[in-house]
Amino acid sequence: MAGEKYIIEGDKKVGLTVRKSENFSEWFSQVVSETGAKLVDIRYGVQGSLVHRPWAIKIARELYSLIEEAVEDDGHEPHLFPTLIPEENLMKEKEHAGFTPEVFWIESAGDQKLNRRLALRPTGETQFYPMFSLWIRSYNDLPLKTYQSRITVFRNEMTTRPFLRGREFLFFETHDAFATHIQAMKQIETDKKIMEKIIRGKLKIPFYFFKRAKWDSFLGADCTYTADTINPDGRRNQISSTHDLGKHFAEAFNITYTDVEGKKKHVWQTCFGPGMWRIMAALIAIHGDDKGLILPTSVAPYNIVIIPITFAKNPEGTKNALRFSKQLQKKIKKWGHRSHFDDSEEHPGFKYNKWELQGVPYRIEIGPREAEQKKLTIVNRITREKRIISILELKKTLPKFYEEHDKMIEKKAEEYFANNTKTAFNYEELKKILSEHRGFVKAEWCDTTMKGKPCADKLKDETQGAYVCGERLGESEKPKGSCIVCGNIARHVVYIAKSI
Amino acid sequence: MAGEKYIIEGDKKVGLTVRKSENFSEWFSQVVSETGAKLVDIRYGVQGSLVHRPWAIKIARELYSLIEEAVEDDGHEPHLFPTLIPEENLMKEKEHAGFTPEVFWIESAGDQKLNRRLALRPTGETQFYPMFSLWIRSYNDLPLKTYQSRITVFRNEMTTRPFLRGREFLFFETHDAFATHIQAMKQIETDKKIMEKIIRGKLKIPFYFFKRAKWDSFLGADCTYTADTINPDGRRNQISSTHDLGKHFAEAFNITYTDVEGKKKHVWQTCFGPGMWRIMAALIAIHGDDKGLILPTSVAPYNIVIIPITFAKNPEGTKNALRFSKQLQKKIKKWGHRSHFDDSEEHPGFKYNKWELQGVPYRIEIGPREAEQKKLTIVNRITREKRIISILELKKTLPKFYEEHDKMIEKKAEEYFANNTKTAFNYEELKKILSEHRGFVKAEWCDTTMKGKPCADKLKDETQGAYVCGERLGESEKPKGSCIVCGNIARHVVYIAKSI
């Protein structure tokens, strides 16, 4: 095996045995596992239903807080809808009813049969919109901007993978209603901005914001917009979707308002879902290295871990180091940093490895000498460069350290993203790139309405599953020639990739 | 109707039509509803499955944060377990399998039958404990202290009521494992302290912490401890439970550790569940008045609402009032207060009523005169006393105002609680109190093991459902005479009440 060995400490096995660059898939499985960064335990015994461990929950709650704050700043109000959906509601919008093959059904409670089937929600549209028809009366009630957060949805997926595809997974969704389609489109631009501010800006995950082709739109939507990133194996990971729902659900659920002239009209609707577990997957996959996770400071549960260096032969110095560490932890917390003092029984070396695996940005080492000189050794997770600074400097220096750490993550991620976007000028070139490098391939395309579907089907068949991700929203990339598949006049510049 | 009338503003109907003291049940229904404090919408169409509205979610998340912080300070680590439980796990602990009559079953997905039944979790024991058997190896792994939060559980209850009893409801649970029963009992004391610190200390909800009689213990527990409060209708509301699980689940799920001498032993277990929706119900029911909710500052989503007083005939003054209000809102937020500037279209009078209904502790009124004099009128939700203070004083005064508000809530709640605890010296007296005043009745009791159950059954039959709540934990209330039902020697002092 080319990778590093497990580190054994007592009966504990910790570490990764493969390099990320050599076997990404195995690296990902290891890094999320109990011997890795301890994010999930896959031994629960129901396929696609995992136990999420403290480190995953602590990262996820930082991520949820960032997204919740952003949508509330944009005027969305939090709700909590039931998990159960009556079958008749799920079926009301005809295209949306296409979800049913993935739906879990409840038909009994105790030993009694229910008088109707209830679905476990696969997504929230058919929960929110019957209520929208009660809540919306006049133009004064518009726009109506709602969301629900930290909920679980259920889909009976055939293949499952931690964070990437589960049968039950953590969800976030906004649901909005507007008087006009222009307002709806503005909301889609805002959803894009939220993704840019939080996911690219704070989590350092690069993505393209696509307008999907018609044949890839959400069941019941006029059009779907997605943020897509790229995994280290070159496969596309869709990390958000926003749907322009048009009036489909408004008509199915009778959501109307009275306009200023007293006329009854159907509302226009959008919904936005950053894929929380998909974003977690991207965070793990894109930033991590052979040593484990690398977390940006915005979502790291701890940005600093303090590790005392103790010496059995120097009890006095050890005592001082522990006391100094404790004082420092108090100070750092008081300054408003998420930090942890690791005074557990393990050896310092074991602790270094553990916190590197978990991706904590900085560790502070404090031994008897540091305690005596009121200095500390601070080590960055990525560079592992050691710097010695005095405690007096620390408060002022920490924000600079954070910035430096986040910049390194950003630079690496953006470079890798740019390097994984290529342009193909003919079909052979496209197939070659897709078979060799993967990533995104920019190409000219005939049509993104249903007319273009035969080309997409052909492409998929002949490339073992490459998809048209769509055109980029807000970028005026104009075609100059012909469709890369059929050779007819190209109306669009699209991006093509294989999916996870 | 004795109560106040709805306030009509345009097509909006807001307010309560009954007094709390005259018809508590109807008052509770109204105050949680769309025309009240807008906490739930009951029109979702599945019994016991409600839509929880923004105000409820915002209160609940403050409450969750307080509880999460308290259990994490006590060393518990957050987890997220699946919603689905394999049937065989649910049935493993024999007594616990008694849950099955309440369980919703999933037998199919799409149009395919699953190869085994999956239950929607009614509670987490049979999820956590199979994993405990994997995670716990040696005494070094103990104590293991875990929790999960902000999750939904499912029980097919026959009768349902917002917050008090639902078929799906928000949950919180800790699950712990210890080497000794003494440590387990210490944890139960800590759980009591957490309830005292957060629920009594911050939310101002008084309660007794009982050791339940054996016949009322949780399915699979050796003994159950609960926090019980009293509703304004004199009925007991159980707001938390802690179970001393002994070794029952450890034996059923084979959770063992190797002790210092190398011997394999089963762990001792406890679990603690503050009933989040039950606590919400108590918060609403106990503190509210005829005008609506009254919220303590610890969980009020806004502690201050700023209402500009505008005059159509004084556009210049109105402009100044709006500008001053906005500046003030910024200042107050910067000081770290949860506040809201209500610049909606409604009249000030409508806004006063709305925010009183929702229980915001203080409102600040700002008109042209206030803007000119850099003063403000601050009004308390409970007393409705108006006080004029200068903006310079506000920062320093607000914490005092908060304290004053919380003290008033506490005083009223504690007095009412004390007044609703009576002592009965004979059976006739007990029955009389239970039929007239309800509340808790202290009485002497023969036995809280199964031997005392015939007395409890007799009591229940002859009083239309009065329960033995149990003995108080940590209070040495010693019996002096005979059992209030059978007349045999009393071994316990218990509290008796009717339940919700």
Side-chain angles (χ1 to χ4, degrees):
Chain A
M1 189 76 67
E4 311 194 17
K5 294 278 164 60
Y6 283 125
I7 297 127
I8 313 276
E9 175 84 13
D11 60 348
K12 291 199 183 80
K13 208 169 63 169
V14 174
L16 309 176
T17 62
V18 292
R19 288 193 196 283
K20 188 180 169 190
S21 55
E22 288 173 4
N23 188 346
F24 166 71
S25 174
E26 174 62 19
W27 175 89
F28 186 84
S29 295
Q30 287 193 9
V31 83
V32 301
S33 77
E34 285 291 296
T35 54
K38 273 187 188 283
L39 299 173
V40 298
D41 195 318
I42 58 169
R43 297 171 291 176
Y44 179 72
V46 178
Q47 194 202 333
S49 291
L50 304 183
V51 177
H52 291 93
R53 298 281 266 150
W55 200 243
I57 300 306
K58 288 177 180 176
I59 298 169
R61 70 186 180 197
E62 299 301 334
L63 170 58
Y64 266 106
S65 294
L66 291 171
I67 295 272
E68 285 165 0
E69 197 188 334
V71 300
E72 288 195 23
D73 282 350
D74 184 45
H76 292 83
E77 287 275 46
H79 284 74
L80 180 69
F81 276 73
T83 307
L84 309 177
I85 306 182
E87 181 169 15
E88 63 269 29
N89 285 8
L90 195 67
M91 310 302 275
K92 235 173 207 166
E93 206 292 321
K94 270 180 201 160
E95 281 187 50
H96 190 74
F99 256 113
T100 46
E102 291 180 26
V103 164
F104 289 99
W105 293 107
I106 298 169
E107 286 157 273
S108 64
D111 53 9
Q112 294 199 310
K113 221 176 139 56
L114 302 181
N115 58 5
R116 58 175 173 173
R117 295 211 292 181
L118 297 170
L120 293 188
R121 65 176 160 222
T123 169
E125 287 74 13
T126 60
Q127 306 193 285
F128 278 76
Y129 304 157
M131 301 311 293
F132 274 26
S133 78
L134 299 171
W135 294 337
I136 298 170
R137 287 275 161 270
S138 88
Y139 65 93
N140 276 324
D141 300 322
L142 297 176
L144 178 63
K145 295 166 90 163
T146 67
Y147 81 93
Q148 69 178 340
S149 185
R150 310 192 195 209
I151 59 156
T152 298
V153 297
F154 302 82
R155 294 179 197 168
N156 189 30
E157 301 278 1
M158 285 304 108
T159 56
T160 57
R161 199 83 209 276
F163 299 111
L164 288 166
R165 187 170 278 120
R167 293 199 178 160
E168 42 179 313
F169 53 97
L170 269 189
F171 208 59
F172 179 99
E173 56 188 337
T174 71
H175 291 280
D176 299 346
F178 302 95
T180 67
H181 189 243
I182 291 170
Q183 289 174 314
M185 285 309 299
K186 272 201 181 138
Q187 185 61 48
I188 292 172
E189 304 259 355
T190 303
D191 297 345
K192 182 186 170 197
K193 276 183 200 140
I194 289 171
M195 288 298 292
E196 275 162 2
K197 185 180 161 197
I198 307 299
I199 305 307
R200 190 167 207 141
K202 301 245 178 207
L203 272 68
K204 312 301 182 194
I205 297 171
F207 59 82
Y208 292 126
F209 201 86
F210 290 120
K211 180 183 179 185
R212 280 266 189 274
K214 182 61 192 166
W215 59 85
D216 264 343
S217 281
F218 179 73
L219 301 167
D222 267 346
C223 194
T224 290
Y225 299 81
T226 67
D228 289 0
T229 188
I230 274 288
N231 259 356
D233 60 1
R235 289 183 182 270
R236 178 191 79 182
N237 175 12
Q238 179 187 319
I239 54 172
S240 84
S241 57
T242 296
H243 307 300
D244 175 2
L245 298 174
K247 298 183 172 190
H248 298 283
F249 286 92
E251 283 163 359
F253 289 95
N254 196 26
I255 312 171
T256 61
Y257 71 100
T258 312
D259 74 5
V260 271
E261 289 158 10
K263 275 188 210 150
K264 256 198 175 176
K265 287 181 174 169
H266 284 107
V267 300
W268 295 88
Q269 290 183 266
T270 63
C271 60
F272 165 49
M276 305 307 270
W277 272 172
R278 286 295 190 88
I279 293 167
M280 286 283 281
L283 196 71
I284 298 161
I286 294 171
H287 301 328
D289 69 8
D290 293 343
K291 277 284 198 178
L293 298 186
I294 290 176
L295 296 172
T297 56
S298 59
V299 291
Y302 310 135
N303 278 312
I304 300 156
V305 62
I306 300 168
I307 298 175
I309 317 295
T310 58
F311 295 91
K313 288 180 183 165
N314 180 359
E316 190 60 31
T318 294
K319 219 173 90 185
N320 288 340
L322 286 170
R323 190 171 46 216
F324 185 54
S325 298
K326 220 168 178 173
Q327 287 167 352
L328 186 63
Q329 161 69 350
K330 266 195 193 159
K331 264 205 180 82
I332 291 175
K333 274 212 158 170
K334 218 174 116 190
W335 298 337
H337 297 281
R338 294 191 296 267
S339 61
H340 178 71
F341 169 38
D342 184 355
D343 61 349
S344 61
E345 294 290 308
E346 282 98 358
H347 290 169
F350 181 86
K351 293 180 188 178
Y352 298 167
N353 279 295
K354 178 184 159 185
W355 295 110
E356 284 181 359
L357 253 175
Q358 301 211 318
V360 170
Y362 287 93
R363 80 165 176 259
I364 290 176
E365 303 171 4
I366 291 181
R369 196 167 16 144
E370 279 88 354
E372 201 184 312
Q373 300 174 352
K374 302 283 171 207
K375 287 191 171 182
L376 46 88
T377 301
I378 187 162
V379 185
N380 175 257
R381 164 65 182 83
I382 303 171
T383 61
R384 274 180 262 164
E385 187 194 340
K386 289 191 178 208
R387 281 179 288 203
I388 296 166
I389 63 169
S390 83
I391 188 153
L392 294 168
E393 288 173 89
L394 188 63
K395 188 178 176 181
K396 181 171 101 251
T397 316
L398 274 180
K400 287 181 203 160
F401 281 165
Y402 284 18
E403 201 186 325
E404 170 197 78
H405 176 78
D406 289 340
K407 278 258 164 69
M408 282 190 283
I409 294 178
E410 184 173 43
K411 188 165 175 283
K412 187 178 142 249
E414 293 287 349
E415 275 177 12
Y416 136 85
F417 192 70
N419 290 340
N420 276 282
T421 305
K422 306 205 184 303
T423 305
F425 296 98
N426 62 59
Y427 196 46
E428 287 316 305
E429 209 174 15
L430 172 66
K431 285 200 283 189
K432 192 160 174 276
I433 298 171
L434 285 170
S435 68
E436 282 174 8
H437 308 282
R438 299 216 180 119
F440 289 112
V441 192
K442 201 165 148 178
E444 303 203 345
W445 194 262
C446 54
D447 205 320
T448 57
T449 70
M450 291 309 282
K451 282 182 202 160
K453 190 166 184 294
C455 285
D457 290 342
K458 183 168 186 250
L459 174 71
K460 200 172 155 187
D461 277 354
E462 293 177 3
T463 56
Q464 288 89 50
Y467 281 93
V468 176
C469 305
E471 296 176 276
R472 285 175 66 188
L473 178 71
E475 306 286 326
S476 53
E477 296 183 314
K478 293 217 168 60
K480 293 168 196 155
S482 56
C483 172
I484 198 157
V485 178
C486 66
N488 290 337
I489 289 176
R491 294 169 191 277
H492 309 275
V493 173
V494 300
Y495 288 66
I496 292 163
K498 293 196 175 183
S499 189
I500 52 153
Chain B
M1 189 75 68
E4 311 191 18
K5 293 276 164 57
Y6 283 126
I7 296 127
I8 313 276
E9 175 87 11
D11 61 347
K12 291 199 182 82
K13 212 168 60 166
V14 175
L16 309 177
T17 64
V18 292
R19 289 193 196 283
K20 187 180 169 189
S21 55
E22 287 172 5
N23 188 345
F24 166 71
S25 174
E26 174 61 18
W27 175 89
F28 186 83
S29 295
Q30 287 193 10
V31 84
V32 302
S33 77
E34 285 292 296
T35 54
K38 273 187 187 280
L39 298 174
V40 298
D41 196 319
I42 59 169
R43 297 171 293 177
Y44 178 72
V46 178
Q47 195 202 331
S49 291
L50 304 182
V51 177
H52 291 93
R53 299 281 267 150
W55 201 243
I57 300 306
K58 289 176 181 178
I59 298 169
R61 70 187 178 195
E62 299 300 333
L63 170 58
Y64 266 106
S65 296
L66 291 171
I67 296 271
E68 285 164 1
E69 198 188 332
V71 300
E72 288 195 21
D73 282 350
D74 183 44
H76 292 83
E77 287 276 46
H79 284 74
L80 180 69
F81 277 73
T83 307
L84 309 178
I85 307 182
E87 182 171 12
E88 63 269 28
N89 285 9
L90 196 66
M91 310 302 275
K92 234 171 208 170
E93 206 292 321
K94 271 181 199 157
E95 281 187 49
H96 191 73
F99 256 113
T100 47
E102 292 179 26
V103 164
F104 289 99
W105 293 107
I106 298 170
E107 285 157 274
S108 64
D111 53 9
Q112 295 197 310
K113 223 176 139 53
L114 301 180
N115 58 5
R116 58 175 172 174
R117 296 211 295 182
L118 297 170
L120 293 187
R121 65 175 160 222
T123 169
E125 286 74 12
T126 59
Q127 306 193 285
F128 278 76
Y129 304 157
M131 302 310 294
F132 275 26
S133 78
L134 300 171
W135 295 338
I136 297 170
R137 287 276 161 270
S138 87
Y139 65 94
N140 276 323
D141 300 321
L142 297 177
L144 178 62
K145 295 166 89 164
T146 68
Y147 79 94
Q148 69 177 340
S149 185
R150 309 191 196 211
I151 59 155
T152 298
V153 297
F154 303 82
R155 294 178 197 170
N156 190 31
E157 300 278 359
M158 285 304 109
T159 57
T160 57
R161 199 82 208 279
F163 298 111
L164 288 165
R165 186 170 278 121
R167 292 199 179 162
E168 40 180 314
F169 53 97
L170 271 189
F171 207 60
F172 179 99
E173 55 189 339
T174 71
H175 291 281
D176 299 346
F178 302 95
T180 67
H181 189 243
I182 290 170
Q183 289 174 314
M185 286 308 299
K186 271 201 183 139
Q187 185 60 48
I188 292 171
E189 304 260 354
T190 302
D191 298 344
K192 181 186 172 200
K193 277 184 199 139
I194 289 171
M195 287 298 290
E196 275 161 4
K197 184 179 163 196
I198 307 298
I199 305 307
R200 190 168 208 142
K202 302 247 177 206
L203 273 67
K204 311 301 181 194
I205 297 171
F207 60 81
Y208 292 127
F209 201 87
F210 290 121
K211 181 182 179 186
R212 282 264 189 277
K214 182 62 192 166
W215 58 87
D216 264 343
S217 281
F218 179 72
L219 301 167
D222 267 345
C223 194
T224 289
Y225 298 81
T226 67
D228 289 359
T229 187
I230 273 289
N231 260 356
D233 61 0
R235 288 182 182 272
R236 177 191 78 182
N237 175 12
Q238 180 186 321
I239 54 172
S240 83
S241 57
T242 297
H243 307 301
D244 174 1
L245 299 173
K247 298 183 173 189
H248 299 284
F249 286 92
E251 283 162 1
F253 290 95
N254 196 25
I255 314 171
T256 60
Y257 71 99
T258 313
D259 73 5
V260 271
E261 288 157 11
K263 275 188 211 150
K264 255 199 178 177
K265 288 182 174 170
H266 285 108
V267 299
W268 295 89
Q269 290 183 268
T270 63
C271 59
F272 166 49
M276 305 308 270
W277 272 172
R278 286 296 190 86
I279 292 167
M280 286 286 279
L283 196 70
I284 298 160
I286 293 171
H287 301 327
D289 68 9
D290 293 344
K291 279 283 197 178
L293 298 185
I294 291 176
L295 295 173
T297 57
S298 59
V299 291
Y302 310 136
N303 278 313
I304 299 155
V305 62
I306 300 169
I307 299 175
I309 317 295
T310 58
F311 294 93
K313 288 179 183 166
N314 181 359
E316 190 59 33
T318 293
K319 219 172 90 183
N320 288 339
L322 285 170
R323 192 172 45 216
F324 185 54
S325 298
K326 219 169 178 173
Q327 287 168 352
L328 187 63
Q329 162 69 351
K330 264 195 195 161
K331 264 203 179 85
I332 291 175
K333 273 212 158 172
K334 220 175 113 189
W335 298 337
H337 297 280
R338 294 190 295 268
S339 60
H340 177 72
F341 169 38
D342 184 355
D343 61 348
S344 62
E345 293 291 307
E346 282 98 357
H347 291 168
F350 181 86
K351 293 181 189 176
Y352 297 168
N353 279 294
K354 179 185 158 184
W355 295 111
E356 284 180 358
L357 252 175
Q358 301 210 319
V360 170
Y362 286 94
R363 80 165 175 260
I364 288 175
E365 303 171 4
I366 291 180
R369 195 166 17 138
E370 279 89 353
E372 202 185 308
Q373 300 174 351
K374 302 283 172 207
K375 288 191 170 182
L376 46 88
T377 302
I378 188 161
V379 186
N380 176 256
R381 164 62 182 85
I382 304 170
T383 60
R384 274 181 261 164
E385 186 194 342
K386 288 189 179 212
R387 281 179 287 202
I388 297 166
I389 64 168
S390 84
I391 188 154
L392 294 169
E393 288 173 88
L394 187 64
K395 188 178 175 181
K396 182 171 98 248
T397 317
L398 274 180
K400 287 181 202 159
F401 281 166
Y402 284 17
E403 201 185 326
E404 170 198 77
H405 176 78
D406 288 340
K407 278 259 163 71
M408 282 190 285
I409 294 177
E410 184 174 43
K411 188 167 175 283
K412 188 177 142 253
E414 293 288 349
E415 275 176 14
Y416 136 86
F417 192 71
N419 290 338
N420 276 282
T421 303
K422 306 205 186 302
T423 304
F425 295 99
N426 62 60
Y427 196 46
E428 286 317 304
E429 210 175 13
L430 172 66
K431 285 199 282 188
K432 193 159 173 277
I433 298 171
L434 285 170
S435 67
E436 282 172 10
H437 309 281
R438 299 213 181 122
F440 289 111
V441 192
K442 203 166 147 176
E444 302 201 345
W445 194 263
C446 54
D447 205 321
T448 57
T449 70
M450 291 309 282
K451 282 184 201 160
K453 190 165 184 291
C455 284
D457 290 341
K458 183 169 187 254
L459 174 72
K460 200 172 158 188
D461 278 352
E462 293 176 3
T463 56
Q464 287 89 51
Y467 281 93
V468 176
C469 305
E471 295 177 276
R472 285 175 67 188
L473 179 70
E475 306 286 324
S476 53
E477 296 183 313
K478 293 217 166 62
K480 292 168 196 155
S482 56
C483 172
I484 198 155
V485 177
C486 66
N488 290 338
I489 288 175
R491 293 168 192 280
H492 310 275
V493 172
V494 300
Y495 289 65
I496 292 163
K498 292 195 174 183
S499 190
I500 53 155

